[in-house]
Structures are given as C-alpha cells and as structure tokens.
C-alpha cells in the first residue's frame, strides 16, 4: 500500500489543517460517510505523530501517513489524494506490487 499525492494537494491539506513545519498528517478511518472500498466508513485527516505507519510519504517537508491499525480499510489498495473543485478527493487503486 502506498500514498500518492502531488505538491499542490499537499499544500492544500497543510493550509487546511494549519499544519506547522514539524507536523505530520494522518489519514485515519472514521465511522460514517462513504467510500468505494468500505461501506459505512470514510477517511479523515488530522495532525498526529506516527507510531506504527503502514504507509507514508513526505511532500512539502510534511510526513503524510496511515497507521497499521487503519490498513484494513484500504483492502490492499493504494491511496491517491487529489483536489477537485476545492475538495479533497480520495481514489483507491489496486496495488500493483
């Protein structure tokens, strides 16, 4: 599993969360909402410190990560994060590895 995100998207998230230069940003599973991989669950974003990351990427000097405890949600898929019409968009794509 990997996280795919470009610099523009990272900057949008950093500004939206008012993250400082030493903050890491976590994608976490929350109850409710909808996704294409798990019914009744969706992703949220928060500033947090990695403990047991299952996937991480550094963009714009910020670490973006997913904890092992949330790995089940992705069902073996990679996460692509983008911005569409001013909204954060999550796409889940089959992991080719």
């Amino acid at each position: 599993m990997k996280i795919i995100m470009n610099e523009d998207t990272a900057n949008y998230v950093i500004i939206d969360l008012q993250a400082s230069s030493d903050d890491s940003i976590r994608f976490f599973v929350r109850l409710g909402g909808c996704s294409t991989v798990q019914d009744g669950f969706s992703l949220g974003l928060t500033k947090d410190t990695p403990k047991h990351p299952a996937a991480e990427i550094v963009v714009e000097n910020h670490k973006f990560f997913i904890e092992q405890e949330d790995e089940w949600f992705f069902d073996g898929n990679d996460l692509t994060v983008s911005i569409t019409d001013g909204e954060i968009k999550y796409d889940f794509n089959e992991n080719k590895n």
Side-chain angles (χ1 to χ4, degrees):
M1 174 177 64
K2 63 184 171 184
I3 303 167
I4 302 158
M5 178 182 348
N6 66 29
E7 291 177 2
D8 289 339
T9 300
N11 279 323
Y12 182 94
V13 172
I14 291 163
I15 291 167
D16 190 48
L17 291 178
Q18 299 177 358
S20 61
S21 60
D22 59 345
D23 287 330
S24 294
I25 299 170
R26 177 181 177 185
F27 296 97
F28 68 95
V29 179
R30 60 184 183 181
L31 183 61
C34 61
S35 75
T36 59
V37 289
Q38 300 292 342
D39 289 337
F41 295 92
S42 59
L43 284 181
L45 285 165
T46 189
K47 295 182 277 188
D48 199 358
T49 301
K51 293 168 189 66
H52 304 286
E56 59 186 24
I57 185 174
V58 176
V59 185
E60 294 296 309
N61 297 317
H62 286 77
K63 183 179 290 186
F64 294 83
F65 68 98
I66 299 164
E67 284 288 345
Q68 288 177 1
E69 67 189 51
D70 291 330
E71 193 171 8
W72 64 270
F73 173 83
F74 297 90
D75 197 25
N77 292 293
D78 292 333
L79 171 64
T80 300
V81 185
S82 60
I83 303 299
T84 303
D85 298 326
E87 297 289 326
I88 299 171
K89 180 180 177 195
Y90 303 114
D91 288 307
F92 305 94
N93 305 300
E94 181 181 345
N95 184 322
K96 306 276 188 206
N97 295 334

